[in-house]
Amino acid sequence: MINRRQWLGGAAGIAGAAALPRFAIAQGTGGSSSRVLKFIPQADLAVADPIITTAYVSRNHGYMIWDTLYGFDQDYRPQPQMVEGHRVEEDGRRVTLVLRDGLKFHDGEPVRALDCVASIRRWATRDALGQVMMTVVDELSAPDDKTILFRFKQPFPLLFEALGKPATPVCFIMPERLAKTDPAVAVKEMIGSGPFRWKADERVPGARLVYERNADYVPRADGPVSWTAGPKRVHFDRIEWNVMPDAATAANAMQNGEADWYEQPPGDLQDLLRRNRNLTLEIQDPTGLVAMARFNHLHPPFNNPAIRRALLGAINQSDFMTAVIGTDKSLWRDRVGIFTPETPLANEAGMEVLTSPRDYDKVKRDLQAAGYKGEKVVLIAASDFANLNALAQVGHDMLRKCGLNVEFVSADWGTVVQRRASKEAPEKGGWSMFFTFFAGVDMVNPGVQQALRGHGQAAWFGWPTAPKLEELRNAWFSAPDLAAQQEIAKQIQLQAFQDVPYLPLGQYFQAWAYRRGLTGIVKGLPIFWNVQRS
Amino acid sequence: MFAYIIRRVLATIPVMVVVALFVFSLLYLAPGDPAAVIAGDQATPADVERIRASLGLDRPFVVRFSEWAWHIIRGDLGISIFTNLPVSRMIAQRIEPTLSLMVVTLVLAVVIAVPMGVVAAWKAGSWIDRAVMAFAVLGFSVPVFVVGYVLAYYFALGLDWFPVQGYTPLSQGFGPWLSNLVLPAVALSSAYIALIARITRATMLEVLQQDYIRTARAKGAGQRTILFLHALKNAAVPIVTVIGIGIALLIGGAVITESVFAIPGLGRLTIDAILRRDYPVIQGVVLLFSFVYVLVNLLIDLSYTLFDPRIRY
């Protein structure tokens, strides 16, 4: 039996514990150790296999665990990473890659060429550029443990780019036993040869992921650290990804010293974080995110290219970007064409369709002339992603101003991705338009751009049929040098403004917030080598 | 009594069967496709189809339900479509934070709300009564996430007394555990305190008009004895009922509170699973919540016998 005095004692104990000073009770939640980095990722890691999915968070997780044969530098050029070097022979029809010494998987097994071959084959079934590559591969083999041999039916100058690109899915190298998994089934183990090991026992799905330094990792000895190229030297023992779906909570955690690095602070919280003298906000990915409105090309009214073309005259990219990220022009860019601005293939060909004065009356006349008869336009919008919802709201307003008969369907992303797979007519559960964005690295060339494909029913959602775009894309694969690629890119952009597979809506940049004491953060992706606490 | 408990426990079986069938059917009919979510935004329709087939999502309803039901009968809640982890393990990982939050909230609510309601009834019509009722209206009216943000702003960011987010397991010490739970529990309990305080006041007002209270006063019983021994015990049945019903409210409120304070509990697990259409996880969590709710109702029914000797099962 508890008596009154015991009750009072217990209550006082509880009250005392609640009133303990912060420094005494915060262990385990805040107060970063110098060897532990606490990171708030853009989203939870829903799918841990970076080959089965194109989700960016899975790609970023992939760079922790797995290594790549080539990296990409800030000039968008592939650089050797796991390979010591390569030989190109027989006019590019035979390419030999030789692995570096000392590469070892986390289970202690050495990395063999056979592992690389199996990994390349699995990746190539999922990746657009990989699929093109495999159509010209005659032989992909491992003559010995350190040599990977490609024999091509015709030269494939984009081989190193394909193997090193950071666009999703990335060609990560897995042990052969994992790489032989069906590409439609996620691998069950997180065993790689990358600079960090996965702490499976500490994973709390939806809340926390933990990686520890791979002590056996041998970084490259040469080259500067640049994007995913160069030596991967790790200065932290442990990286913790703490998932915080609520942006205000994440911002509070940053301000309170409970996290070191916040990947995607939303625009409306950036000023708040910028005012905190312990934090730095910086745009580290110059390719940003490129927004678009995607048409359904199978059904009226957007099966009519003239109607799609007419809408180019209504787009005011600054309206879309302001809605997404705010009025600070350093955070977004308009006048964005088909390729990511300031990357090698970006060009001005035909840009007047986007940059000439906007005139809704003219757009209405053009729509009538194109044969628009008031067909219903079903716009599907994801309400659970603020940036996608903002794009859809502005797009809805734009379409109404153009005189289109719009039905705005707001749903969560899970519903949108299901509905957009429907090829039914809009009034029978299908759709006419949705909004999305791609990372800038996924829009830098025709090889990685899904939305530019025009191979009909097999194309990305929207299913455009655009044979000239396909012809130009194929020509780009065979272009011998950058100048030839750039010339084809201009033609692609001109043709894209004729076929209009999608409407380009601008580019915005996502600032990262991190503690001032962190140095050596690598530009491009949130990757954790080279970073240290000063 | 024992026979009654057995009967009630057995009665949960058809309830759970109906819940299982209902949840499975609802998820089957609801829009959304986990294969599309897994494949990612840039995957082609063919990629999505391949993943859907590999997950068995293209099979008929009856086949999928039978398979799932057979696993449930054997105590297997299935494997998460996304994480490839057993649902039972994911629930086990998340149960401690949610249970901790609910227990602290419940204790806080009962300890504060019941005396508040008793005092308000005792001082009915006075400024104390009006203040308690004003607090109750406020507690009901202000959403839990607003209370959460305000508390985090003042007590975590301002005064630095508590962390703004996260959860520390009890195994790492009572202080850290409680420190992470104080703000979320206060936020979550605000509506609950309001509810219990109002019900306590209303019930106590009725009881205080009864003849036996007048008799107790005539016999010279003290105010405290009258309020807490005679009146509160007789008012307990409806109060306990409301506390029980409130546990359902707590489950709903915990979903929001766990998001605001980044607590890795069952609420966040549920939301994440719903947004991704991770069917086995949704089904597992809903079954668990249903079972807990049935169990709580049973415990409340049994507790009536402690307060009212006229009730016998």
Side-chain angles (χ1 to χ4, degrees):
Chain A
M1 190 75 174
I2 297 173
N3 61 32
R4 183 169 166 270
R5 195 175 294 277
Q6 285 170 317
W7 265 109
L8 289 174
I14 291 172
L20 279 175
R22 178 81 205 303
F23 56 83
I25 58 179
Q27 56 174 315
T29 56
S32 295
S33 142
S34 63
R35 304 294 293 175
V36 178
L37 188 139
K38 297 189 177 192
F39 174 69
I40 304 170
Q42 56 181 270
D44 177 39
L45 179 71
V47 184
D49 181 346
I51 302 300
I52 194 176
T53 183
T54 60
Y56 295 129
V57 68
S58 301
R59 183 260 321 266
N60 300 343
H61 151 81
Y63 273 111
M64 306 288 283
I65 292 172
W66 292 284
D67 211 346
T68 53
L69 293 171
Y70 288 81
F72 237 51
D73 68 16
Q74 60 187 14
D75 297 320
Y76 314 101
R77 284 183 314 216
Q79 302 290 349
Q81 184 55 256
M82 291 173 77
V83 300
E84 188 65 54
H86 55 252
R87 285 194 310 276
V88 180
E89 299 160 305
E90 299 174 16
D91 295 329
R93 287 172 197 274
R94 180 190 163 100
V95 180
T96 311
L97 316 182
V98 180
L99 292 173
R100 281 197 282 132
D101 287 328
L103 300 176
K104 217 191 279 184
F105 285 115
H106 300 158
D107 58 5
E109 293 295 315
V111 177
R112 303 160 306 152
L114 272 176
D115 301 308
C116 302
V117 168
S119 298
I120 293 167
R121 286 192 187 282
R122 183 168 189 260
W123 157 80
T125 60
R126 294 300 315 272
D127 183 70
L129 196 49
Q131 286 162 7
V132 173
M133 182 186 84
M134 292 309 282
T135 61
V136 293
V137 165
D138 226 4
E139 180 189 344
L140 170 55
S141 61
D144 59 57
D145 277 354
K146 289 191 69 181
T147 309
I148 304 156
L149 174 67
F150 284 90
R151 280 185 192 278
F152 291 106
K153 295 170 190 160
Q154 62 190 64
F156 187 71
L158 295 166
L159 172 65
F160 309 119
E161 189 157 351
L163 297 178
K165 69 177 179 55
T168 57
V170 173
C171 184
F172 292 117
I173 301 302
M174 302 179 172
E176 186 186 23
R177 63 189 169 83
L178 296 182
K180 284 195 164 169
T181 308
D182 177 347
V185 176
V187 293
K188 302 281 190 290
E189 292 174 75
M190 300 290 110
I191 300 290
S193 64
F196 294 93
R197 290 170 191 264
W198 169 254
K199 292 281 289 172
D201 56 329
E202 293 195 46
R203 180 186 189 190
V204 182
R208 199 160 85 126
L209 307 160
V210 178
Y211 307 87
E212 63 180 14
R213 190 169 71 90
N214 174 14
D216 293 333
Y217 185 76
V218 182
R220 288 194 72 81
D222 58 331
V225 178
S226 174
W227 279 45
T228 59
K232 298 180 177 179
R233 294 196 184 89
V234 174
H235 302 285
F236 285 95
D237 293 336
R238 189 178 158 93
I239 309 286
E240 293 178 5
W241 289 22
N242 293 309
V243 181
M244 292 185 204
D246 186 84
T249 306
N252 285 345
M254 287 298 294
Q255 293 185 89
N256 219 31
E258 294 171 34
D260 296 305
W261 184 349
Y262 180 15
E263 186 185 355
Q264 289 196 352
D268 55 347
L269 290 175
Q270 289 186 11
D271 274 346
L272 176 78
L273 295 173
R274 207 171 269 120
R275 285 200 296 271
N276 188 314
R277 62 183 171 186
N278 296 318
L279 302 177
T280 299
L281 261 85
E282 208 166 352
I283 293 167
Q284 297 281 16
D285 177 5
T287 67
L289 296 144
V290 179
M292 69 172 65
R294 179 67 161 182
F295 296 113
N296 185 340
H297 294 244
L298 299 183
H299 299 286
F302 297 135
N303 60 349
N304 179 345
I307 288 178
R308 300 198 299 269
R309 273 196 297 275
L311 287 178
L312 284 169
I315 299 167
N316 189 342
Q317 292 186 346
S318 59
D319 287 349
F320 286 93
M321 292 300 99
T322 303
V324 170
I325 198 80
T327 52
D328 182 352
K329 275 213 74 171
S330 68
L331 297 177
W332 53 266
R333 184 184 275 142
D334 53 5
R335 302 170 62 90
V336 174
I338 297 301
F339 299 104
T340 308
E342 298 196 1
T343 59
L345 301 189
N347 63 79
E348 288 293 310
M351 282 294 285
E352 56 280 0
V353 295
L354 293 171
T355 57
S356 59
R358 307 289 85 180
D359 181 350
Y360 283 110
D361 290 333
K362 181 177 180 308
V363 174
K364 282 180 184 171
R365 288 195 301 276
D366 290 347
L367 284 170
Q368 285 216 327
Y372 178 64
K373 298 186 185 72
E375 296 96 330
K376 186 182 275 186
V377 170
V378 176
L379 192 162
I380 50 173
S383 55
D384 50 340
F385 285 96
N387 47 4
L388 296 185
N389 193 41
L391 291 174
Q393 297 285 354
V394 177
H396 182 205
D397 181 56
M398 180 192 84
L399 296 178
R400 283 163 56 105
K401 283 178 180 164
C402 294
L404 294 177
N405 173 19
V406 188
E407 181 185 332
F408 187 86
V409 179
S410 186
D412 70 335
W413 179 243
T415 304
V416 168
V417 293
Q418 186 200 33
R419 186 160 179 178
R420 74 176 187 181
S422 169
K423 292 181 180 176
E424 291 288 339
E427 59 275 15
K428 290 181 181 169
W431 57 279
S432 308
M433 181 184 270
F434 71 87
F435 294 81
T436 191
F437 61 84
F438 280 26
V441 291
D442 289 336
M443 304 282 282
V444 293
N445 65 50
V448 295
Q449 257 221 49
Q450 285 283 24
L452 203 56
R453 297 297 307 273
H455 53 316
Q457 299 282 343
W460 190 60
F461 305 97
W463 312 282
T465 300
K468 283 188 182 169
L469 274 178
E470 287 292 293
E471 271 174 38
L472 288 165
R473 180 174 184 264
N474 289 335
W476 181 81
F477 286 123
S478 307
D481 53 32
L482 182 60
Q485 288 181 355
Q486 287 172 326
E487 190 49 47
I488 295 169
K490 285 179 187 169
Q491 294 173 45
I492 288 176
Q493 182 153 296
L494 286 170
Q495 189 59 43
F497 289 146
Q498 288 301 309
D499 294 332
V500 201
Y502 63 87
L503 298 173
L505 302 179
Q507 177 191 34
Y508 66 97
F509 303 99
Q510 182 60 60
W512 295 342
Y514 52 89
R515 307 216 77 74
R516 273 202 193 281
L518 290 183
T519 58
I521 287 182
V522 182
K523 281 188 185 294
L525 312 174
I527 44 185
F528 298 87
W529 51 87
N530 208 50
V531 186
Q532 46 193 315
R533 207 187 295 280
S534 61
Chain B
M1 178 77 141
F2 183 71
Y4 174 77
I5 294 172
I6 295 293
R7 270 202 314 275
R8 285 288 301 268
V9 169
L10 289 176
T12 61
I13 294 170
V15 172
M16 300 309 291
V17 170
V18 170
V19 167
L21 187 62
F22 182 72
V23 170
F24 197 93
S25 309
L26 205 65
L27 290 175
Y28 186 81
L29 295 172
D33 181 4
V37 179
I38 287 173
D41 195 15
Q42 297 167 53
T44 62
D47 293 334
V48 176
E49 275 307 318
R50 274 195 293 274
I51 293 170
R52 187 179 294 120
S54 76
L55 294 172
L57 296 171
D58 52 352
R59 293 175 303 160
F61 173 85
V62 177
V63 176
R64 286 168 56 191
F65 180 74
S66 311
E67 191 180 285
W68 177 71
W70 177 237
H71 280 105
I72 293 291
I73 289 166
R74 291 184 300 163
D76 176 7
L77 293 175
I79 302 285
S80 160
I81 289 174
F82 285 81
T83 63
N84 278 319
L85 295 172
V87 173
S88 51
R89 182 177 153 191
M90 291 174 74
I91 289 175
Q93 276 183 325
R94 303 297 197 105
I95 211 159
E96 188 197 315
T98 299
L99 205 60
S100 299
L101 178 61
M102 288 176 69
V103 167
V104 175
T105 302
L106 204 61
V107 168
L108 205 63
V110 172
V111 165
I112 294 172
V114 173
M116 266 173 73
V118 169
V119 171
W122 173 36
K123 300 284 183 186
S126 71
W127 69 267
I128 296 175
D129 182 28
R130 282 195 290 272
V132 168
M133 287 306 99
F135 173 82
V137 170
L138 199 69
F140 271 131
S141 313
V142 183
V144 64
F145 68 88
V146 173
V147 179
Y149 287 136
V150 171
L151 291 174
Y153 181 77
Y154 284 106
F155 295 102
L157 289 178
L159 297 169
D160 201 20
W161 286 359
F162 304 102
V164 293
Q165 53 82 38
Y167 174 76
T168 307
L170 190 53
S171 58
Q172 290 183 27
F174 183 74
W177 173 79
L178 191 63
S179 140
N180 270 116
L181 288 173
V182 170
L183 296 184
V186 171
L188 182 55
S189 64
S190 59
Y192 204 46
I193 289 172
L195 174 71
I196 298 173
R198 281 184 76 104
I199 293 294
T200 305
R201 176 184 177 274
T203 318
M204 284 290 288
L205 275 177
E206 199 183 317
V207 170
L208 287 172
Q209 307 300 319
Q210 299 297 316
D211 288 345
Y212 56 83
I213 299 292
R214 199 173 303 120
T215 306
R217 283 192 207 284
K219 283 166 67 182
Q223 192 63 45
R224 189 181 299 173
T225 309
I226 289 171
L227 284 176
F228 290 96
L229 193 68
H230 294 286
L232 185 58
K233 197 172 175 188
N234 280 289
V237 169
I239 296 170
V240 169
T241 306
V242 166
I243 291 171
I245 294 168
I247 289 175
L249 285 180
L250 275 185
I251 291 171
V255 172
I256 299 165
T257 313
E258 286 173 8
S259 291
V260 170
F261 290 97
I263 296 171
L266 287 171
R268 271 181 63 197
L269 180 69
T270 313
I271 292 291
D272 288 345
I274 289 170
L275 289 174
R276 289 179 191 147
R277 311 295 193 268
D278 197 343
Y279 299 137
V281 176
I282 302 171
Q283 289 153 357
V285 171
V286 172
L287 277 182
L288 175 75
F289 283 156
S290 307
F291 182 71
V292 167
Y293 200 59
V294 168
L295 198 69
V296 166
N297 272 300
L298 173 62
L299 291 175
I300 287 166
D301 285 351
L302 295 178
S303 74
Y304 292 163
T305 59
L306 299 176
F307 301 112
D308 190 342
R310 290 168 301 180
I311 299 175
R312 283 284 174 267
Y313 298 116

